[in-house]
Amino acid sequence: MTSLAAVILAAGKGTRMRSKMPKVLHPVAGRPMIRYALELPEALGASPVVVVLGHQTDHVKKVLPPTGWQAVEQTEQLGTGHAVRQTEEILKDFPGDVLMLYGDVPLLRVETLRQLVETHRRSGAVATVLTAIMEQPGRLGRVVREPAGRVVRIVEALDATEAERAIREVNTGTYCFQASFLYPALQDLRADNSKGEYYLTDVIGAACRAGLQVQAVQTEDWREAVGVDSKADLAMAEAIMRRQVLERLMVEGVTILDPPSTYVHPQVRVGRDTVLYPNTYLLGNTVIGEDCEVWPNSVIRDSTLEDGVVILPSCVITGSTIASGSSVGPFAHLRPESVLRKDVKIGNFVEVKKSLLGEGSKASHLSYIGDVVMGKDVNVGAGFIACNFDGERKNETIIEDEVFIGSDSQIIAPLRIGKGAYIATGTTVRKEVPPHALVYNTKDQVHRDNWALQRKPKADTEHGHVEQAQSED
Ligand code: UD1
């Protein structure tokens, strides 16, 4: 089989984005655009993969995967043909085809590229271009065909005649080339056009003039192959990708009550019969099991929910694992490394951070549980605080099985509370508690008889105002 290499052009400034950030770093569905471009050659088994960078190169390299690509730098952006020339040293003797991609085309599907490569190889063409039919082709290059339909050249909108500008078939900028044709052809490029750039598109015309075969493959849907050039394009790409993800989930049996207000990143997996209520965000590498309920206004990122978990409204859940039968919220915050075992209940205004809650444990109201390892069937009363930070270090609290923590209690970590211990309401626990002990602080209750009566305001009926009683103290 012929070998396949890939080049990803990503040196352009992306001026029309009007951004400080390089264009290919703008995220679509949570991932920088260039990551999508890199996935395509990988899926097709292309190697090597050469990325042409030129603008804030170090920033771009940081978001690329650690392996599977090499970068070349185009220090001056003198056009797409000039950009490809930068890969010459690596690819000029490559014994096969070179797939040419842009770093700013996040919706391109691997099936489309497979079709491009297959057509290219079946026909024996030296170059095959991916084209699209567009109602408003704007500034894109037009594909000029001879009456019999053969592609003869690509003309940039700026250099086109009026008749050529009326052509609706555009060059998407994605191609497959025989390396043995491409690199010699690049040598002959001239920058004698309205932009004064070296156009990669000119190699298509050159091939035709030399009597070599050029093929074109048309995309079924123009949107998949069109690049992101502006913030408006970015929003469009985001909307298309989001809709695709939701459609896939619905085909897989997920119930989505209001797709327009549901945001799910492409890597997220959701089991069937799970219900996503409006305004749900499932982000990053989140995995949700079957029969879960995610009620409105929650943001769940990089978390795993087993089957049958219920997330009540307005929760933020990050980097956490929730076992089946558990429920969280409303208004709860699970921060990274929180683990809820089976049938745990986290209620309203509870924050959990880097803590494990054993099976059947409950914290139903207003608590902070940070750096806690909690056993089974622990009951945490309202207003509990694990005081984990001493100003320098984060300290751990161990709460063994079946401990009862009364409301408004604090545990000053590091500490261990023995199995079955009972912490009375309003206790500050400073020392280790043995199993099955009762712990409380001695704070005597003092009261003064009738004190409140003497403070009571007297109504001055004549003047219509209230006088404050004088305290005798
Ligand atoms: C190019 C095509 C045009 C096609 C359009 C599709 C040429 C001459 N024209 O237009 O026919 O319809 O793409 O989007 O090829 N880049 C570099 N270095 C450069 C210039 C560009 O790496 O010096 C990269 C950009 O980062 C981008 C891609 O090439 O990823 C396309 O550049 P862009 O300026 O958007 O395309 P045009 O040249 O306008």
Side-chain angles (χ1 to χ4, degrees):
M1 215 188 97
T2 324
S3 345
L4 189 66
V7 169
I8 298 173
L9 299 187
K13 277 200 188 77
T15 317
R16 285 176 288 262
M17 295 295 278
R18 300 269 160 81
S19 170
K20 298 182 283 304
M21 185 160 78
K23 175 162 67 173
V24 291
L25 293 191
H26 283 80
V28 172
R31 301 170 74 213
M33 278 193 273
I34 194 161
R35 293 296 297 256
Y36 295 98
L38 270 156
E39 270 175 12
L40 296 168
E42 195 192 335
L44 292 171
S47 175
V49 177
V50 186
V51 188
V52 183
L53 300 175
H55 193 61
Q56 297 188 35
T57 306
D58 290 340
H59 277 75
V60 181
K61 280 185 185 165
K62 270 190 209 136
V63 310
L64 299 181
T67 55
W69 54 274
Q70 46 190 303
V72 292
E73 201 157 335
Q74 185 196 22
T75 42
E76 253 188 304
Q77 278 79 58
L78 301 178
T80 47
H82 180 260
V84 180
R85 262 196 215 156
Q86 314 309 307
T87 67
E88 193 166 29
E89 215 163 283
I90 302 171
L91 292 176
K92 73 173 187 306
D93 297 323
F94 184 72
D97 297 315
V98 179
L99 189 61
M100 195 66 58
L101 303 166
Y102 290 169
D104 55 10
V105 184
L107 297 165
L108 195 58
R109 292 174 314 134
V110 71
E111 294 76 39
T112 304
L113 286 185
R114 208 166 266 137
Q115 204 192 333
L116 180 78
V117 175
E118 269 169 27
T119 305
H120 175 77
R121 288 181 173 169
R122 211 178 326 111
S123 64
V126 294
T128 304
V129 53
L130 185 69
T131 71
I133 302 291
M134 285 181 76
E135 286 308 317
Q136 292 179 324
R139 51 154 214 97
L140 296 174
R142 309 298 201 267
V143 178
V144 182
R145 292 178 184 256
E146 64 180 12
R150 206 170 64 96
V151 173
V152 287
R153 68 194 179 101
I154 291 167
V155 60
E156 293 308 293
L158 279 177
D159 304 309
T161 63
E162 207 170 310
E164 286 167 339
R165 267 200 295 277
I167 297 172
R168 291 188 307 129
E169 186 176 19
V170 300
N171 168 29
T172 64
T174 301
Y175 319 78
C176 191
F177 291 108
Q178 286 179 9
S180 56
F181 156 74
L182 177 65
Y183 288 94
L186 290 174
Q187 297 304 323
D188 298 331
L189 292 183
R190 298 278 165 273
D192 52 359
N193 47 56
S194 51
K195 275 183 160 177
E197 288 185 353
Y198 295 94
Y199 288 169
L200 176 60
T201 43
D202 285 349
V203 303
I204 301 290
C208 293
R209 283 196 302 277
L212 299 169
Q213 201 192 143
V214 170
Q215 283 288 329
V217 169
Q218 225 174 63
T219 53
E220 278 167 34
D221 184 344
W222 61 270
R223 281 170 295 200
E224 85 163 275
V226 169
V228 169
D229 262 337
S230 63
K231 294 281 171 82
D233 291 343
L234 190 67
M236 185 181 78
E238 180 81 34
I240 293 171
M241 195 172 289
R242 188 155 71 85
R243 185 72 213 179
Q244 285 170 352
V245 171
L246 297 179
E247 267 159 21
R248 171 177 55 81
L249 291 181
M250 290 189 279
V251 166
E252 289 168 5
V254 179
T255 304
I256 300 175
L257 267 77
D258 185 35
S261 73
T262 306
Y263 295 76
V264 181
H265 281 169
Q267 318 84 283
V268 172
R269 297 283 166 264
V270 185
R272 61 193 172 151
D273 293 320
T274 281
V275 184
L276 305 182
Y277 284 87
N279 212 20
T280 286
Y281 291 73
L282 305 180
L283 311 177
N285 293 314
T286 291
V287 179
I288 296 196
E290 297 185 1
D291 302 308
C292 293
E293 294 170 26
V294 182
W295 287 82
N297 307 324
S298 285
V299 182
I300 303 176
R301 183 187 289 277
D302 297 329
S303 294
T304 301
L305 278 58
E306 290 180 0
D307 296 345
V309 168
V310 176
I311 307 297
L312 292 164
S314 301
C315 294
V316 176
I317 298 173
T318 309
S320 297
T321 305
I322 307 176
S324 52
S326 294
S327 77
V328 176
F331 302 102
H333 189 184
L334 300 194
R335 291 169 52 201
E337 297 182 55
S338 294
V339 177
L340 310 187
R341 292 272 155 80
K342 279 179 75 176
D343 301 321
V344 165
K345 183 183 175 203
I346 295 296
N348 40 205
F349 307 107
V350 174
E351 175 179 344
V352 181
K353 184 228 114 183
K354 203 180 176 185
S355 292
L356 173 107
L357 279 82
E359 191 174 332
S361 288
K362 292 181 176 48
S364 300
H365 334 266
L366 297 156
S367 290
Y368 173 63
I369 299 171
D371 299 295
V372 173
V373 177
M374 192 183 286
K376 293 184 195 165
D377 296 319
V378 171
N379 187 82
V380 178
F384 165 71
I385 293 177
C387 307
N388 59 334
F389 187 48
D390 59 14
E392 281 174 25
R393 276 180 308 273
K394 297 283 167 64
N395 300 302
E396 191 179 67
T397 300
I398 296 169
I399 302 173
E400 294 182 353
D401 296 348
E402 293 155 33
V403 166
F404 181 94
I405 303 176
S407 299
D408 190 26
S409 296
Q410 307 91 46
I411 291 177
I412 317 279
L415 263 189
R416 174 184 288 268
I417 312 295
K419 181 175 175 178
Y422 192 107
I423 298 171
T425 296
T427 304
T428 301
V429 186
R430 297 174 190 278
K431 291 185 219 139
E432 182 157 337
V433 179
H436 306 291
L438 165 69
V439 55
Y440 60 95
N441 301 137
T442 46
K443 272 189 252 164
D444 284 340
Q445 179 175 316
V446 178
H447 70 254
R448 294 195 178 131
D449 289 340
N450 295 328
W451 181 89
L453 275 181
Q454 288 156 10
R455 278 187 82 246
K456 223 174 182 175
K458 279 192 250 161
D460 182 339
T461 43
E462 260 178 53
H463 298 101
H465 69 267
V466 172
E467 253 174 42
Q468 198 71 29
Q470 291 289 305
S471 166
E472 283 173 16
D473 287 322

